[in-house]
Amino acid sequence: GEDVEQSLFLSVREGDSSVINCTYTDSSSTYLYWYKQEPGAGLQLLTYIFSNMDMKQDQRLTVLLNKKDKHLSLRIADTQTGDSAIYFCAEKDDKIIFGKGTRLHILP
Amino acid sequence: ETGVTQSPTHLIKTRGQQVTLRCSSQSGHNTVSWYQQALGQGPQFIFQYYREEENGRGNFPPRFSGLQFPNYSSELNVNALELDDSALYLCASSLGLSTGSNTEAFFGQGTRLTVV
């Protein structure tokens, strides 16, 4: 069945790069997403990548996709305190399937 | 701000009761999806409505039902509430069907339902 797995926690020092990893199972997924959720808030779409791409860069965000291994990563350069949130990896074919989220904690 | 509003923001209900949650879509969007996010989990797809018809359903029992109105606002109804129904309920609106296309879904802030 469809499943998205990601590590639950990540701690990073302010100014360093954060890398959040995700694996998915549905090879027919057409789009893969990264969403950000801050406390008490809904989901904010950060970036997405089409399944025939292997990299996408958007300012401080870099998404890498290894379709053979069904592995997706999100790199946040120069991590700031405002990046502290839960990050959800998601895949989409006919519906969006979310992972359980990675809580990013920023160390001073 | 995504332009998607949900009401109420918080709600407490008793086991066995019924609840209706509401979602106002972003202007011009004809598709709405509902998700349940339990504490510490990712959102789980409940169902999707396109032009007032159900168009896809996740693994939720029939006591979870929905409606989409001509103005594309939507309701999620849950009958015979159980303690495990306590969660954040999110709606997302988009333009067009999601199958095979990148129609960005804009999420509301959610309704936090507590069943006691």
Side-chain angles (χ1 to χ4, degrees), chain A residues 31 33 37 48 92 94-95, chain B residues 37 42 45 98 101-102 109:
Chain A
Y31 290 91
Y33 300 91
Q37 188 176 39
Y48 67 91
K92 186 179 92 165
D94 59 341
K95 59 183 179 290
Chain B
Q37 186 179 16
F45 176 73
S98 58
S101 63
N102 187 29
Q109 300 282 75

Side-chain angles (χ1 to χ4, degrees), chain A residues 35-47:
Chain A
Y35 282 87
K36 178 182 180 183
Q37 188 176 39
E38 295 179 271
L43 294 169
Q44 174 196 355
L45 178 64
L46 277 181
T47 187

Side-chain angles (χ1 to χ4, degrees), chain A residues 7 9 19 35 41 50 54 88 90 94 104:
Chain A
S7 53
F9 298 99
V19 180
Y35 282 87
F50 188 47
D54 53 19
F88 291 95
D94 59 341
L104 177 62

Side-chain angles (χ1 to χ4, degrees), chain A residues 11-77:
Chain A
S11 289
V12 173
R13 292 209 175 274
E14 190 175 357
D16 287 351
S17 291
S18 305
V19 180
I20 304 172
N21 294 301
C22 165
T23 56
Y24 61 98
T25 56
D26 188 355
S27 58
S28 64
S29 292
T30 50
Y31 290 91
L32 295 132
Y33 300 91
W34 285 102
Y35 282 87
K36 178 182 180 183
Q37 188 176 39
E38 295 179 271
L43 294 169
Q44 174 196 355
L45 178 64
L46 277 181
T47 187
Y48 67 91
I49 189 166
F50 188 47
S51 58
N52 70 353
M53 298 168 65
D54 53 19
M55 188 183 92
K56 181 177 180 181
Q57 187 151 5
D58 184 2
Q59 298 182 338
R60 292 192 296 125
L61 305 178
T62 303
V63 179
L64 295 178
L65 174 61
N66 181 329
K67 196 173 180 183
K68 173 175 166 289
D69 295 338
K70 299 192 185 72
H71 182 268
L72 184 73
S73 69
L74 173 70
R75 178 176 178 269
I76 305 172

Side-chain angles (χ1 to χ4, degrees), chain A residues 8 30-31 33 35 37 40-46 48-50 56 86 88 92-101 103, chain B residues 2 35 37 40-45 48 55 57-58 88 90 97-110 112:
Chain A
L8 296 182
T30 50
Y31 290 91
Y33 300 91
Y35 282 87
Q37 188 176 39
L43 294 169
Q44 174 196 355
L45 178 64
L46 277 181
Y48 67 91
I49 189 166
F50 188 47
K56 181 177 180 181
I86 301 175
F88 291 95
K92 186 179 92 165
D93 186 15
D94 59 341
K95 59 183 179 290
I96 301 176
I97 306 293
F98 289 87
K100 291 186 177 178
R103 184 179 295 274
Chain B
T2 63
Y35 291 82
Q37 186 179 16
Q41 302 293 315
Q44 298 288 313
F45 176 73
Q48 176 178 277
N55 177 260
R57 187 177 183 93
L88 179 69
L90 295 161
L97 284 172
S98 58
T99 302
S101 63
N102 187 29
T103 52
E104 182 178 347
F106 293 85
F107 282 83
Q109 300 282 75
R112 186 163 297 282

